[in-house]
Amino acid sequence: MSVLKLKLDQDQLVDDFFESTYLVGIVSPVRDYQLCWQVNRELGYRFKVNNTLEINLTKNNRHFHFTVYEDRENIKSVSHYLYNNHCKAEFLMPELKHIDYLWLIKGNYYQVDDIKKLIDQVRKLEFVQLVSIVDIKDLRNRMNLIF
């Protein structure tokens, strides 16, 4: 009896996960919960930490846990995820060391103009120093964002 082996196509998994998504990089010196509190208060979001989405990486026999906050807009079928890019001097996305947080917007509702408006709103927040769109295709470690 022969055994059929199935191989997971990681490239297809990554492409499927990032279909209809936008990624925004945020530079802010405050803790993740403080940033989420301000985004929730000033912009009307409902970000909450989701421990089931926490991303765990192991590098050089050390374990790192990257917090993920989540907000869902059920009416628009859109999910928002705010990733902490730092953990104990390690980075979730090493190619974005200058970025503190990554805001992933997943769903078909928002268009580029909507994302630009969101960036303008986030840029006005007290604790935010820089906000910009990140091109997902340019990231080598995109797999790290998949939970």
Side-chain angles (χ1 to χ4, degrees), residues 100-144:
D100 298 309
Y101 302 99
L102 295 163
W103 184 336
L104 182 76
I105 301 154
K106 189 169 178 52
N108 291 322
Y109 184 82
Y110 290 103
Q111 302 302 314
V112 175
D113 289 341
D114 300 314
I115 302 304
K116 288 179 181 178
K117 288 177 190 173
L118 175 65
I119 287 174
D120 288 340
Q121 291 175 326
V122 173
R123 190 174 282 135
K124 293 175 185 174
L125 296 176
E126 178 183 356
F127 299 125
V128 172
Q129 297 173 342
L130 177 79
V131 185
S132 63
I133 293 178
V134 176
D135 190 349
I136 296 169
K137 294 176 196 133
D138 292 342
L139 300 176
R140 291 185 313 271
N141 295 294
R142 293 183 292 171
M143 192 73 174
N144 290 356

Side-chain angles (χ1 to χ4, degrees), residues 14-134:
V14 169
D15 290 343
D16 290 347
F17 183 84
F18 290 109
E19 185 178 338
S20 301
T21 61
Y22 293 96
L23 188 62
V24 175
I26 301 172
V27 175
S28 177
V30 298
R31 303 286 305 237
D32 51 9
Y33 63 87
Q34 293 171 308
L35 178 64
C36 285
W37 177 82
Q38 189 176 39
V39 168
N40 289 348
R41 194 177 114 229
E42 300 292 329
L43 304 181
Y45 287 88
R46 298 172 314 277
F47 277 106
K48 293 180 184 173
V49 69
N50 186 337
N51 292 324
T52 62
L53 298 180
E54 181 178 79
I55 297 175
N56 300 302
L57 296 180
T58 303
K59 292 184 181 180
N60 301 325
N61 292 327
R62 294 182 61 208
H63 302 286
F64 302 98
H65 309 282
F66 297 90
T67 307
V68 179
Y69 290 79
E70 179 182 30
D71 179 19
R72 292 184 181 264
E73 293 183 79
N74 293 328
I75 294 172
K76 298 176 184 176
S77 298
V78 174
S79 296
H80 299 265
Y81 302 100
L82 188 73
Y83 299 80
N84 194 334
N85 193 37
H86 300 276
C87 178
K88 301 176 188 171
E90 191 58 55
F91 299 93
L92 180 63
M93 301 300 292
E95 60 268 40
L96 298 175
K97 290 181 180 180
H98 61 286
I99 299 292
D100 298 309
Y101 302 99
L102 295 163
W103 184 336
L104 182 76
I105 301 154
K106 189 169 178 52
N108 291 322
Y109 184 82
Y110 290 103
Q111 302 302 314
V112 175
D113 289 341
D114 300 314
I115 302 304
K116 288 179 181 178
K117 288 177 190 173
L118 175 65
I119 287 174
D120 288 340
Q121 291 175 326
V122 173
R123 190 174 282 135
K124 293 175 185 174
L125 296 176
E126 178 183 356
F127 299 125
V128 172
Q129 297 173 342
L130 177 79
V131 185
S132 63
I133 293 178
V134 176

